[in-house]
Every structure is written in C-alpha cells, then in structure tokens.
Amino acid sequence: GAGVSQSPSNKVTEKGKDVELRCDPISGHTALYWYRQSLGQGLEFLIYFQGNSAPDKSGLPSDRFSAERTGGSVSTLTIQRTQQEDSAVYLCASRSARDTGELFFGEGSRLTVL
Amino acid sequence: GEDVEQSLFLSVREGDSSVINCTYTDSSSTYLYWYKQEPGAGLQLLTYIFSNMDMKQDQRLTVLLNKKDKHLSLRIADTQTGDSAIYFCAETVGSGNTGKLIFGQGTTLQVKP
C-alpha cells in the first residue's frame, strides 16, 4: 500500500496477556518509529529503528516492552504481561532520509487492557 | 533531557488568528515540525522549519523560530472551524533529518463559530 499500515486497529485483552502489534512501513523508508498516545497525553516516544543500526530503545517504559524490525521492513511491538496502564493508542511512523524527513503515521492500534 | 513543551488548550473565534507556542530543548535540532491531528484521524505534517530560518510562511500558516530562546510558534490566520484539531510541535534530536523525533503534549485548538 501507499501508506503506513498497522494491525490490529483495535485490540482488547485481559490483564497479564501478551499482545503483538504490527507495523508495515512505506516501502523504501529507512526509519521506523513507535509512539504511544494515551488519553490526554502527548505522543510518547518508544523506540526507533534506522537502517541497520542498533535501535534506540530509550523510550520503552519497561522490560515488558520490546520491538523488532525484520528485514528492514515490517516491525512488531510486543507487550508482555499487559497492565491496565498499557491501554493507549500505539502509533507507528516511517520516514525517508531524503528531504525534510517527514514522518508518515499509520492510523494506530488501540489497545485496551481489561 | 529531551523535552518539548506546549500549552494544552486554545480557544478562538472563527476569523481570528490563533497562535500556538512551543519550547524545545535540543539546540542542535535541524528541523522543527508542526503536526496536526484531526478528531479520529492520524497525524499529518502541517509544516516545518529549518533551523537556519527565523520565519516561514505558507498560505495562512506562519512559523516563527527563536533559536536563542528555543521557542517555536505557529500562527494560523483567519482561523476556520475546520482548523479545530490537536497541534503537535516536534523536534529532531541531533542534527540532520533522521534521528529521534520528540513531540510535545499537543495543543487542542477549539474554533468557535
């Protein structure tokens, strides 16, 4: 597709379960970002992949959160043993190194932990 | 540390000008951005400014950058009800147009008819 694709768009899970959120970036974009947007909060940076470099994981809130990017394309954000405070919209974005480096965002995955 | 601060809410009347302010911390940021999030929609780039510029104008939008004070503002002239949205300021950490992008909390703009 032409844009950043995220799945699932909505996920309801029980506390303690693991979840996986998927992001398919724009083809050819070398950088991929994950952000979290909670109600009333801004965009919280989670993790960032740039080409073949080691990812910048400085925003991951705990060791329950992890992400990988396979083959420099699709990325999966995994949250283990989910907690209610993990409920949020998880946004993925990709970026080209050309021009202004504009971030292109997906529609997000809304996670609700009961 | 890296931080971007914005006021949370602004209310204006249709036809007035809106000014949304932002402060940032990374003095080496090459690009600074304004993103717009309309209700129920994703974020889209509204405009950007390169760090060697003081001002950028794009139709009804004017961006002002004060590098000394690390202050960025977005002015929307002749604000319309369709401008109602959340506006996010963002800085690139480090130089260049790659690297981590840090966003502010977002300013909710309410435009009253």
Side-chain angles (χ1 to χ4, degrees):
Chain A
V4 176
S5 177
Q6 291 189 245
S7 62
S9 55
N10 274 288
K11 176 72 176 178
V12 180
T13 191
E14 292 179 347
K15 179 180 170 182
K17 301 282 190 185
D18 297 352
V19 296
E20 285 189 350
L21 307 176
R22 176 189 166 104
C23 174
D24 202 340
I26 293 173
S27 177
H29 280 192
T30 56
L32 186 147
Y33 300 73
W34 283 99
Y35 291 87
R36 178 168 70 175
Q37 186 175 24
S38 304
L39 190 62
Q41 304 291 318
L43 265 68
E44 178 187 3
F45 168 79
L46 297 177
I47 188 169
Y48 147 64
F49 297 87
Q50 173 63 54
N52 296 320
S53 303
D56 180 336
K57 305 179 183 180
S58 58
L60 294 178
S62 77
D63 59 7
R64 295 187 295 105
F65 287 73
S66 63
E68 62 176 21
R69 188 179 186 191
T70 53
S73 181
V74 172
S75 177
T76 303
L77 176 69
T78 301
I79 309 172
Q80 295 178 308
R81 305 181 302 282
T82 52
Q83 303 295 311
Q84 288 183 331
E85 61 263 28
D86 299 334
S87 296
V89 176
Y90 290 82
L91 293 166
C92 176
S94 69
R95 188 186 206 185
S96 167
R98 291 194 295 271
D99 303 325
T100 63
E102 175 184 354
L103 249 63
F104 292 84
F105 282 86
E107 295 292 316
S109 292
R110 180 176 296 276
L111 174 66
T112 303
V113 182
L114 302 176
Chain B
E2 306 137 358
D3 198 16
V4 178
E5 297 282 341
Q6 297 178 242
S7 53
L8 296 182
F9 186 77
L10 176 66
S11 181
V12 301
R13 292 229 172 261
E14 192 173 20
D16 288 350
S17 291
S18 306
V19 179
I20 301 171
N21 294 300
C22 168
T23 57
Y24 60 96
T25 54
D26 192 330
S27 57
S28 63
S29 290
T30 306
Y31 288 96
L32 294 133
Y33 303 86
W34 284 102
Y35 279 79
K36 179 181 180 182
Q37 185 178 36
E38 295 184 1
L43 277 86
Q44 290 193 311
L45 180 68
L46 189 62
T47 188
Y48 68 93
I49 189 166
F50 190 55
S51 60
N52 68 353
M53 299 167 67
D54 297 323
M55 184 180 83
K56 179 180 179 182
Q57 189 143 4
D58 183 2
Q59 298 182 339
R60 292 190 296 120
L61 304 178
T62 303
V63 179
L64 296 178
L65 175 60
N66 180 330
K67 285 194 71 175
K68 175 176 171 290
D69 294 337
K70 296 178 192 168
H71 183 266
L72 184 72
S73 68
L74 173 71
R75 178 176 181 268
I76 306 173
D78 187 25
T79 314
Q80 303 296 307
T81 54
D83 295 324
S84 294
I86 304 176
Y87 293 81
F88 291 91
C89 168
E91 65 167 347
T92 304
V93 174
S95 60
N97 62 358
T98 58
K100 190 161 64 176
L101 208 64
I102 301 297
F103 286 80
Q105 310 98 306
T107 300
T108 298
L109 175 64
Q110 179 189 67
V111 182
K112 296 179 181 177

